[in-house]
Amino acid sequence: MELHDVWFVLIAVLWTGYFFLEGFDFGIGVLTKLLARDRSERRVLINTIGPVWDGNEVWLLSAGGATFAAFPEWYATLFSGFYLPLLVILVCLIVRGVAFEYRVKRAEERWQRNWEHAIFWCSLLPAFLWGVAFGNIVRGVQIDAHKEYVGSVLDLLNPYALLGGLVTLTLFTFHGAVFASLKTLGDIRERARRTATVLGLVTAVLAIGFLGWTQLSQGDTKSLVAMVVAVAALVAGLVMNRLGREGWSFAFSGVTIVAAVAMLFLTLFPNVMPSSLNESWNLTVSNASSSAYTLKIMTWCAGIATPVVMLYQGWTYWVFRKRIGTQHIADAH
């Protein structure tokens, strides 16, 4: 296996880790409006991800940085062609981070309500737009012979990509509802389980349609196996949720995300960004990659830094592993 193949796999792993971890972050943000009944319950939901949300975003920075260094042609074409949706995602992530920090800086009702609106919308939009972006990457976009995107923003809003956006939105929200049931106590825990059941059923319908479309249009045996695993894990997650086994339900919802993202990357390989104009203009792991020397240096750096980051993040989750409820929320001053 060549180094550019290895780095394609590593980037796929980074994106998978990001969607697994940031997925329930986005889901919790959406559920602050769908699940919480009052400000105390919204504070409970936000506090479930308070110690970890910024650490989860490290996976996005790593994925973006690795793409820039390992596949500069892919990075350049992707970020120039998808400039507007990626800019919206970036702004949402910035505003969302500020909202988490500044929501409690003042006690006024209007101040806190506005920041809570920001958390909701800045969680919902990225959860949807990531699906649209990856749907277009897998489907193929208008790339010319000079490796430049020549389409428009409207070309990205095609039925396949929009369905992908709905899948990521509902799947992340389902993942967040399961996480909420795992991390909370009392009535909000029970409502989170009921909400997860509804969201899981909706997700199953949308996901089967999207993954089936992907498989029929450009899948192979490996992607079919990943699709079967994703659907089976989603069904298992729903069953475990109904049985009140929140830990297992969260594990299976995570497997669903991992298998679905793996299917997309398996379908994509050896391309990194197919051209819908001419197959010979596809960006591949070979023609879009950096030099072998660059990839070699990156491999040594990643081998040293990645275990340290993963150990630290795992320790963080262990420290903040306990459940919380409204009884743990101090009265507002």
Side-chain angles (χ1 to χ4, degrees):
M1 180 181 287
E2 299 289 337
L3 274 179
H4 51 63
D5 297 328
V6 172
W7 273 97
F8 178 86
V9 174
L10 291 176
I11 288 172
V13 170
L14 289 172
W15 280 112
T16 302
Y18 173 67
F19 289 140
F20 179 95
L21 296 172
E22 192 78 339
F24 66 76
D25 277 4
F26 290 144
I28 290 294
V30 174
L31 290 170
T32 57
K33 294 294 185 184
L34 302 183
L35 179 62
R37 290 177 174 173
D38 53 35
R39 176 141 298 131
S40 292
E41 291 190 348
R42 280 192 288 275
R43 291 174 65 187
V44 168
L45 290 177
I46 293 171
N47 286 353
T48 61
I49 61 172
V52 298
W53 68 266
D54 46 356
N56 294 343
E57 292 187 354
V58 170
W59 290 78
L60 173 62
L61 298 175
S62 300
T67 304
F68 172 77
F71 299 100
E73 295 287 354
W74 183 13
Y75 182 92
T77 304
L78 175 65
F79 279 79
S80 60
F82 292 26
Y83 181 80
L84 184 58
L86 292 179
L87 177 63
V88 172
I89 290 174
L90 177 60
V91 171
C92 284
L93 294 180
I94 293 172
V95 172
R96 182 168 167 267
V98 173
F100 283 138
E101 299 295 334
Y102 276 77
R103 180 182 56 88
V104 294
K105 296 298 183 182
R106 291 168 58 180
E108 289 87 346
E109 175 81 12
R110 183 177 179 182
W111 172 271
Q112 296 193 5
R113 184 174 62 248
N114 288 339
W115 285 120
E116 288 165 0
H117 288 323
I119 291 172
F120 172 76
W121 287 108
C122 292
S123 298
L124 185 148
L125 286 174
F128 175 74
L129 290 175
W130 279 128
V132 173
F134 272 83
N136 278 293
I137 291 173
V138 173
R139 173 179 176 268
V141 292
Q142 298 180 42
I143 300 174
D144 64 12
H146 303 290
K147 302 179 182 178
E148 296 180 359
Y149 178 72
V150 294
S152 66
V153 174
L154 294 179
D155 293 326
L156 303 178
L157 303 179
N158 54 80
Y160 175 78
L162 292 174
L163 179 58
L166 291 176
V167 170
T168 52
L169 174 59
T170 54
L171 178 56
F172 291 167
T173 310
F174 167 68
H175 195 42
V178 175
F179 182 76
S181 69
L182 178 65
K183 289 288 292 180
T184 57
L185 294 166
D187 183 54
I188 191 171
R189 174 187 177 188
E190 298 302 320
R191 281 187 281 113
R193 286 175 52 195
R194 293 195 295 269
T195 303
T197 299
V198 176
L199 288 169
L201 293 173
V202 174
T203 301
V205 173
L206 294 174
I208 290 172
F210 177 71
L211 297 179
W213 190 346
T214 305
Q215 179 64 30
L216 290 174
S217 61
Q218 53 200 112
D220 56 15
T221 303
K222 293 179 181 179
S223 61
L224 178 60
V225 172
M227 174 184 170
V228 171
V229 171
V231 174
L234 181 56
V235 173
L238 279 167
V239 172
M240 291 296 105
N241 179 68
R242 291 289 295 174
L243 295 176
R245 303 296 297 273
E246 291 102 339
W248 281 105
S249 182
F250 180 72
F252 280 120
S253 68
V255 172
T256 302
I257 294 175
V258 171
V261 177
M263 179 189 178
L264 296 182
F265 276 95
L266 287 169
T267 303
L268 193 59
F269 186 81
N271 299 314
V272 294
M273 208 165 178
S275 171
S276 60
L277 300 178
N278 191 324
E279 288 187 1
S280 63
W281 297 341
N282 289 353
L283 296 181
T284 67
V285 292
S286 56
N287 67 20
S289 68
S290 296
S291 67
Y293 181 74
T294 300
L295 296 178
K296 185 177 180 179
I297 296 299
M298 290 176 59
T299 303
W300 279 104
C301 294
I304 295 171
T306 302
V308 176
V309 173
M310 294 184 69
L311 286 171
Y312 175 76
Q313 192 164 21
W315 175 79
T316 304
Y317 275 92
W318 175 256
V319 169
F320 295 100
R321 66 189 181 277
K322 293 185 178 180
R323 296 177 183 267
I324 62 172
T326 53
Q327 64 269 34
H328 299 118
I329 302 299
D331 292 334
H333 295 291

